[in-house]
Amino acid sequence: MSLTQIFKADFLPRLIEIRIFTAIVSLLFSLVAFGIDDLINSDGVLYMNMVRAFLEGGLTETAQLFNWPFFSILVSGIHLLTGLSLETSGELLNVLLFVLFTDSLVLICSKILPNSRQVFIAALFILGFTLFNDYRAYLFRDMGYWAFIGYSLYLLIKFSQKPSWFYALTWQGTMIMSILFRIEGVVLLLAMPFYLFKAAPDWKKACKQIFMLWSVVIIIVGIALSIALSQTSLVIAFGKISEIISYIDFPTLLQDFQEKSEIINAQVMSNFDKDSGALILASGLLVMMLQKIITALSVSYIVFYIYTYFSKHAPQHIQSNYHQLFIFFVAVNFLILLMFVFKQYFLSTRYGVMLITGLFLLMLPRICTFVEDALLNKRRAILAFTLLILISGPLDTFTISVSKAYIKDVALWAAENLPEDAKVITFDTITDYYLRENNPDLLTNLEVGGDPLESINYDYLVIVIKLRNKDLFDQINLQGHKIIYTSSNKRGDKAIVVKVNHS
């Protein structure tokens, strides 16, 4: 398949060609992302520590760090099979999972778009989507969740077309795999089959089909209950399942919400209005959610989507299959996100990736129809604008503005040069990780958020000093401590190794 053929009217690549093309580009993008990334992410530190705990002490040890170990178990398996380092094993797994994720989206597009030319165009937009590319160099379990939720959506479409036990069982298999990565999959497992009340001819057939989609789950629940009575370590290791109850404990959630609202009433609001705290808190959380969602869709894609409506070449007829399925999928994921926000009172964009993916899939039919029309009619201005949109995401993602390599550089130097009998303290998880990985015999202590100026009971301090805290560097010198190694970036952020003055 040559890219020059895309401008020909008879350009209709086969689905397998599009999948292979997407997989190769996705693989290359992920390799580039990990290649230019300076540091492991903080979540990655947790998962790598879990891998080591699993290899050394099994499930019981991993449960002391985090109670959902499937991702770390997979990394352990790759490490044992290949002999690669733990971090490289984790990177390899995430590269493969991201390939599966983009492949699942291409398969979904093959069902919602009218021809393979549009599927190929959709693949280009998938590969260029900033949100997806921003997470390529992360070591975390979310990638597996996204991939298997993607395949489950595709299989649900196939099942709605042809309700068979094959699709019912494979759908349940992908859903169970997604749950093993993230517990939120339980909500989708329970909720998504209800779409069949819309897709099935009548409610009796819908009930029968829903039972088919839950059949294995019923058996697994029974097996899980028997295991819970006999395998305590397994139950503890996967103890996060019990947290679902806390998210539907509405009396406790309401009480917590009211307490936080009263804080706003007492400490923020005027004496003339002591009753608006609940409204302000609720609306603030909702606005935060909407802001995260809109930002994650990316300004360029939103602008392009709006342009497809107001252009004089805006498509009049758009074939959008399974539109209602994706609206239902977005609604369920919005509910999951809403429950999380009102339980935890914060939101990271990565928790909303499935919701944003659903919105993205709703946008693609119009976008792909518009671009296809521009291709067939050789509208060069539109095609140039499309190309700009497609390359802006990867360019933004793979362009490093501020290097963080200085943190790893200092940690590696400290691991190699500090005496093994010295007492060392660090103040962030990433520095601590590289110290322990490169010199496990070093007596390293971690105190996140600690005050380096008060850590006088140690022999050496390994400190990261951001530009906003640059005064800390001078304060350390004033205390008479000796800075024995320094590394920095162009912005002025520093990492230092300090020998403590005990005199």
Side-chain angles (χ1 to χ4, degrees):
M1 180 177 65
S2 171
L3 289 179
T4 57
Q5 293 178 319
I6 194 172
F7 295 99
K8 297 180 180 179
D10 61 348
F11 174 70
L12 290 170
R14 293 179 297 164
L15 178 59
I16 186 63
E17 291 177 320
I18 300 171
R19 293 177 68 186
I20 292 172
F21 168 80
T22 306
I24 291 173
V25 176
S26 185
L27 177 70
L28 292 175
F29 276 9
S30 292
L31 292 175
V32 170
F34 276 116
I36 65 176
D37 193 56
D38 298 320
L39 294 176
I40 188 172
N41 54 299
S42 55
D43 282 349
V45 172
L46 170 63
Y47 297 127
M48 293 304 100
N49 288 338
M50 288 178 66
V51 173
R52 190 165 297 285
F54 178 74
L55 292 171
E56 294 175 356
L59 290 173
T60 304
E61 290 298 315
T62 63
Q64 295 180 20
L65 297 173
F66 189 68
N67 53 2
W68 208 248
F70 184 67
F71 175 77
S72 297
I73 293 172
L74 289 181
V75 176
S76 303
I78 293 173
H79 166 71
L80 293 173
L81 287 172
T82 63
L84 296 171
S85 70
L86 301 187
E87 193 172 336
T88 303
S89 298
E91 291 173 355
L92 176 60
L93 176 58
N94 271 19
V95 167
L96 296 176
L97 289 173
F98 216 106
V99 169
L100 294 180
F101 176 47
T102 51
D103 180 63
S104 72
L105 296 182
V106 170
L107 285 173
I108 292 170
C109 289
S110 72
K111 293 299 178 183
I112 66 176
L113 299 174
N115 59 60
S116 61
R117 184 190 298 109
Q118 287 199 22
V119 176
F120 180 74
I121 294 168
L124 297 179
F125 277 95
I126 290 166
L127 291 168
F129 195 30
T130 302
L131 177 68
F132 298 158
N133 289 324
D134 282 348
Y135 287 112
R136 285 187 180 274
Y138 275 60
L139 271 179
F140 61 177
R141 60 200 172 104
D142 299 52
M143 222 78 80
Y145 176 69
W146 301 344
F148 286 101
I149 289 296
Y151 282 121
S152 74
L153 260 179
Y154 171 72
L155 290 167
L156 186 59
I157 292 172
K158 296 286 287 185
F159 181 83
S160 67
Q161 291 177 329
K162 183 183 178 181
S164 68
W165 279 104
F166 173 77
Y167 291 127
L169 294 175
T170 50
W171 180 81
Q172 289 173 91
T174 56
M175 284 306 310
I176 291 167
M177 286 297 295
S178 75
I179 292 168
L180 288 173
F181 284 98
R182 288 198 69 89
I183 195 63
E184 292 94 320
V186 170
V187 180
L188 291 168
L189 173 65
L190 297 175
M192 290 308 296
F194 286 105
Y195 163 74
L196 294 171
F197 279 115
K198 177 66 179 178
D202 56 66
W203 70 271
K204 289 184 178 179
K205 289 185 178 179
C207 289
K208 178 184 175 181
Q209 291 172 15
I210 290 172
F211 172 77
M212 292 172 68
L213 291 178
W214 283 345
S215 57
V216 172
V217 176
I218 295 171
I219 297 171
I220 288 177
V221 169
I223 295 172
L225 289 174
S226 63
I227 291 175
L229 297 174
S230 58
Q231 297 292 327
T232 306
S233 63
L234 196 61
V235 175
I236 294 173
F238 287 89
K240 201 169 181 66
I241 192 76
S242 62
E243 290 186 14
I244 294 176
I245 299 172
S246 69
Y247 284 90
I248 57 176
D249 182 6
F250 296 114
T252 301
L253 292 176
L254 181 59
Q255 180 182 351
D256 190 38
F257 178 80
Q258 288 174 337
E259 289 174 356
K260 287 178 169 58
S261 300
E262 286 304 316
I263 294 173
I264 295 175
N265 284 331
Q267 300 185 15
V268 178
M269 301 304 296
S270 165
N271 290 328
F272 300 102
D273 186 357
K274 291 293 185 181
D275 299 317
S276 300
L279 176 63
I280 291 171
L281 180 57
S283 58
L285 291 173
L286 289 171
V287 169
M288 177 183 69
M289 288 177 61
L290 293 175
Q291 182 269 328
K292 294 281 188 182
I293 292 167
I294 292 170
T295 303
L297 275 171
S298 87
V299 173
S300 60
Y301 274 45
I302 293 174
V303 168
F304 190 80
Y305 184 68
I306 295 172
Y307 178 60
T308 64
Y309 272 96
F310 294 99
S311 169
K312 64 180 180 180
H313 302 296
Q316 299 300 313
H317 175 71
I318 301 169
Q319 184 174 334
S320 181
N321 301 321
Y322 303 101
H323 184 79
Q324 292 178 329
L325 170 62
F326 296 115
I327 291 177
F328 184 57
F329 179 73
V330 167
V332 173
N333 278 282
F334 185 82
L335 179 62
I336 293 172
L337 212 58
L338 193 68
M339 292 167 64
F340 177 85
V341 168
F342 277 82
K343 166 72 175 175
Q344 302 293 347
Y345 293 93
F346 89 98
L347 179 61
S348 172
T349 303
R350 67 187 178 93
Y351 296 122
V353 167
M354 283 295 93
L355 187 156
I356 295 157
T357 299
L359 293 173
F360 179 54
L361 290 169
L362 286 169
M363 294 165 63
L364 277 178
R366 169 168 286 276
I367 290 174
C368 294
T369 301
F370 181 73
V371 175
E372 180 188 39
D373 182 66
L375 280 169
L376 295 177
N377 292 283
K378 296 182 172 58
R379 298 191 176 101
R380 295 182 179 179
I382 292 176
L383 294 177
F385 184 39
T386 303
L387 180 62
L388 178 64
I389 296 296
L390 288 174
I391 66 175
S392 63
L395 283 177
D396 180 60
T397 300
F398 301 137
T399 302
I400 300 176
S401 56
V402 179
S403 172
K404 295 181 181 179
Y406 68 99
I407 299 175
K408 185 174 182 179
D409 174 48
V410 161
L412 294 179
W413 185 92
E416 293 173 1
N417 293 278
L418 295 184
E420 290 187 359
D421 60 346
K423 293 175 63 179
V424 181
I425 185 169
T426 65
F427 303 91
D428 72 279
T429 55
I430 295 175
T431 306
D432 179 74
Y433 168 78
Y434 285 117
L435 275 170
R436 294 179 188 274
E437 283 295 302
N438 291 279
N439 190 349
D441 296 325
L442 196 64
L443 300 174
T444 305
N445 294 274
L446 172 64
E447 188 177 331
V448 177
D451 186 355
L453 299 175
E454 296 181 359
S455 303
I456 58 175
N457 296 323
Y458 295 89
D459 300 315
Y460 296 91
L461 317 177
V462 184
I463 311 170
V464 176
I465 304 176
K466 300 294 185 181
L467 183 61
R468 62 180 179 272
N469 297 324
K470 60 181 181 180
D471 291 344
L472 180 59
F473 188 84
D474 298 327
Q475 291 171 340
I476 289 170
N477 277 320
L478 289 173
Q479 285 195 344
H481 304 316
K482 184 179 180 181
I483 298 172
I484 59 175
Y485 190 79
T486 304
S487 185
S488 61
N489 61 16
K490 292 180 180 179
R491 188 172 65 182
D493 301 317
K494 291 183 175 67
I496 60 176
V497 180
V498 179
K499 185 175 184 180
V500 177
N501 179 12
H502 292 294
S503 60

